[in-house]
Amino acid sequence: MPEQLHSYFFMKTSLILFLIALTLRLGVVFFWQFDGLYGQDAYAYLRQAVAIAQTLPHGQPPPTDFFWPNGFPLLIAFWMLFVGQTAWAGQLAALLCGAALAPLSFLLSCELFSENNSMIIRSHYTGLLAGFIVAVAGQPILSSVVIMADMPALFWATLAAWLVIRAVNLGNSGELRGTQGNSKEVFSPAPLLPRSPALLFFAAGVALALAIISRWLYVLIVPALGFYIFFNFWSAKLALPNSKASFALQFKNFEWSPLLAVCSGALILAPQLWLSLNKPEGLAHSWLLGWSPAHFFQREFENIDGHFLYQLPNFIFYAQPAGHPAYIFPLLGVAALWAIWRLGQTRQWGALILLLGWVAPVYLFLAGIPYQNFRFGLTLYPPLVILTGYGLSDFLSGGEREQGSRGEGERRRIFSPAPLLPCPSALFKLIIVLSLLGMLAWAYPMLDNFLTVQNQSKIIAAQVEQTLPKEATLITFGLTLTLQHYTQLNTLEFFYLDAASLQTLAESPGPLYLLLDVGSIETQWRGKTPQINYQWLKKNTTLTPVGDFSPYTLFKVTK
């Protein structure tokens, strides 16, 4: 296939995948009328972004008391230049990154498996399947409509991996090594990208650093990318004629290029590390300090966020992205295991190093933390969907692959799993389509349950504001940032109060109210600050229920 047709195919397919993914995500935003804000972290990200937008133009650093790294707030601040200092800037950043992940998964798959002409068509199938899975899966859609760092960080990490693969493929081409005898065709899935490995490695370092300063967890994929580069360079070196001249030429044109990724990444990481020194608990996170292999098999934890009893032990919970309908339909997820075996059988060690090298350390870290959160599985997602896509494309092609053996003219056929497939190709494709539709169907109740609850919290905030006098002081926990953002009430965070401050508030002349989810306080937070403060108020003041906003109860506090 001529390179012009390759480029047209990649651009057209990438655009289609992006538009499908973006349409689904925008549909969610407008159908549920959701602005992206919920919980605590989303409001904190938005506040930090506003602070950056206000201080950075004047040459001042952002506030140094922010708990999380500043990568995502910086991205939000960028979009604020176009849409203003509103929540839409944060949601737009997540939406575009989430939608772009579908074509990026397609391009990464095509680049990773297009090692020779016999693999190009299969790499197309792999990329298409991976792209469609990302586009319709419920959790990626949900994480694309909330103002959280998950999807932007995942986008940057996947972009970094694609740029590294592209740089390695170009660096290993005979043209750039200066050796024509072993040269191979290197097509460009993105004609606008530079064809210089040095520039691509430089860009990869920037992208990876942005992923890390959006979510620290992505530092764990650095070894996978490093080993992938080293393996491919070493393999290419072994394929060269054994002469000092050719090695020197290769060193000049390729070996030093990956160091540019280190340099460009360091330029971005250094300012964030300096800022984090002012908030060291952001680096020395309780999950990191509390990590233990013993947590793999536990499902009950006590941490800074309270007491938790989960249904599944950690090692099963964090394996769910490989076969949960919100990530990958179970029937499709089985193909990932097949892909691992097939990649090993066909000696595609570079792909295995990259994909398993990404999954393994992230999974081991998540399985060892004293906490469970379903969205954390997104950090495992790109390798899993790519493996799934490869396994499915291998089934569709009958598992046959031609590979050179001892000479270009001699070909041998490697094991075909066709006898293992009792159904014809058309039926197998129908199963894939129905599985994708099943993922989309699963996404609706998942989205509805979550977004309805979050919208209800904003309705509660409006109802509480209508109930209380304007001069009232409201103490609350869980809805603090929601009330501060959407109402004019004087709202105080229950967690940051103590007996002395509660005593002062109780003796103040103005009306005092308390809004709490009492059930959560007495279970999840038993023995911790919120319950201790609640017990102090029950003992030292009179708490009179004046409103029920399930699951919250509004009390009037009197001495």
Side-chain angles (χ1 to χ4, degrees), residues 34-50 66 68 72-73 76 80 86-91 94 143 145-150 375 450 454 458 481-482 485-486:
F34 182 65
D35 64 0
L37 291 169
Y38 81 102
Q40 304 289 325
D41 294 351
Y43 294 96
Y45 280 126
L46 183 61
R47 287 184 175 183
Q48 183 71 355
V50 171
F66 186 59
W68 304 109
F72 183 44
I76 299 174
M80 285 179 174
T86 66
W88 174 237
Q91 193 173 40
S143 293
V145 302
V146 296
I147 302 177
M148 295 288 284
D150 299 287
R375 65 182 173 86
F450 180 86
Q454 303 310 323
K458 296 160 189 175
L481 294 179
T482 304
H485 186 82
Y486 292 101

Side-chain angles (χ1 to χ4, degrees), residues 88-101:
W88 174 237
Q91 193 173 40
L92 183 62
L95 276 168
L96 293 176
C97 289
L101 191 64

Side-chain angles (χ1 to χ4, degrees), residues 124-207:
H124 293 173
Y125 284 136
T126 300
L128 281 170
L129 290 166
F132 276 116
I133 290 172
V134 173
V136 304
Q139 185 59 51
I141 292 176
L142 177 57
S143 293
S144 299
V145 302
V146 296
I147 302 177
M148 295 288 284
D150 299 287
M151 292 311 293
L154 187 60
F155 166 80
W156 291 123
T158 310
L159 177 62
W162 176 44
L163 292 171
V164 164
I165 297 168
R166 181 64 185 156
V168 166
N169 286 347
L170 283 170
N172 281 345
S173 68
E175 177 186 359
L176 291 174
R177 293 202 320 258
T179 59
Q180 300 299 324
N182 293 326
S183 65
K184 66 177 182 179
E185 178 186 1
V186 179
F187 64 87
S188 175
L192 298 180
L193 282 181
R195 295 183 64 87
S196 164
L199 291 177
L200 290 170
F201 277 123
F202 184 90
V206 172

